[in-house]
Amino acid sequence: MRNLVREMREAKGWSQGELARRLGVSRQTINAVETDKYDPSLPLALRMAVLFEVPVPSLFIDDWTPEETL
Amino acid sequence: MTTLDQAKIRKMLLAFVLGALGGGGAMAAFLWLGFEPGWRVEQVAVGGVGVVYLVTGLFTLGGALMPGMGARVLNVADREELVEMRNMLVGSSVSAIALGIMLLALVGSGPGGAVPDIVVIAAVGLSLLTIGVIGVKQWRLYDELWRQLSWESSAFAMSILLPILLIWSVAVHLGWLSAMDPLLVIAVAAASMLVGAFIAAGRRGMLAPR
């Protein structure tokens, strides 16, 4: 799963530390999410979406498409 | 190559040199001591793993307590990151040091050993108590990534330890090998925890230079 956390954070002018502080997580968590090494929990993803004022699917992008059913 | 890349390489080299000097020196001193009384392989193994825990714990504790210096060696973005993580790092370091001391106390113990049983029992009891209490406190300090890392490192450690113990036990049962020495079991368990933690951290990108 790709994500646009780094782009949106930089657009806000926040450092990783600043975003971590706002979300109440460690800087390592932000770094791991931004480098696609960790997919955040649903509550954390929702909080990120609230902070960046975007829907979750605009922040976390999954290329999965459902199989066509008969 | 950017200035940032050069800085990361310099930091990695410095960490490598310090690790080699500190860890290598401590290991050499331990082995030099060990050869004199003619320790068995399992004593050297448990002591060797103990030295790794002790040195890692001391390095991390030093870095956490002196963040300015620690940021130059430890894999963090900057000094502030160490300050933010201080409580967590101090807890992990003290646990590693306690485990290292426990393992080293075991080296010279047992029948005919220089370390009295009561000292070993006290070292093991105090170490386990320290690690247990700190573990509970650490869990409260962890955020979701660190909790995930904790689960994953335990799972990796078990995935390493279990096959070794099972295969060895089967071989002993079949009469192909002699039973594993208790100190070797402890050494393998402690080493598995260490390797498990490294694998978990590596998978989450936490060993990449920062």
Side-chain angles (χ1 to χ4, degrees), chain A residues 16-17 24-29 31-32 37-41 44, chain B residues 77-78 80-81 84-85 143-146 148 203-206 210:
Chain A
Q16 285 187 341
V25 295
S26 66
R27 240 197 276 192
Q28 287 78 21
T29 300
N31 189 58
K37 298 287 185 187
Y38 176 66
D39 292 332
S41 65
L44 182 56
Chain B
D78 50 34
E80 281 64 41
E81 190 171 323
E84 289 163 15
M85 295 173 66
D143 70 355
E144 60 176 60
L145 172 70
W146 284 96
Q148 181 73 22
R203 282 186 71 245
R204 296 294 177 192
M206 296 174 91
R210 297 188 66 203

Side-chain angles (χ1 to χ4, degrees), chain B residues 89-155:
Chain B
L89 285 178
V90 168
S92 309
S93 314
V94 172
S95 290
I97 292 167
L99 188 55
I101 291 171
M102 183 188 102
L103 295 174
L104 286 169
L106 287 169
V107 175
S109 64
V115 181
D117 289 0
I118 189 72
V119 174
V120 176
I121 291 167
V124 171
L126 277 174
S127 298
L128 292 181
L129 186 69
T130 305
I131 293 165
V133 170
I134 288 176
V136 172
K137 282 182 178 286
Q138 292 285 85
W139 191 256
R140 295 183 189 138
L141 293 174
Y142 284 171
D143 70 355
E144 60 176 60
L145 172 70
W146 284 96
R147 288 185 177 183
Q148 181 73 22
L149 268 173
S150 184
W151 288 122
E152 286 176 357
S153 58
S154 301

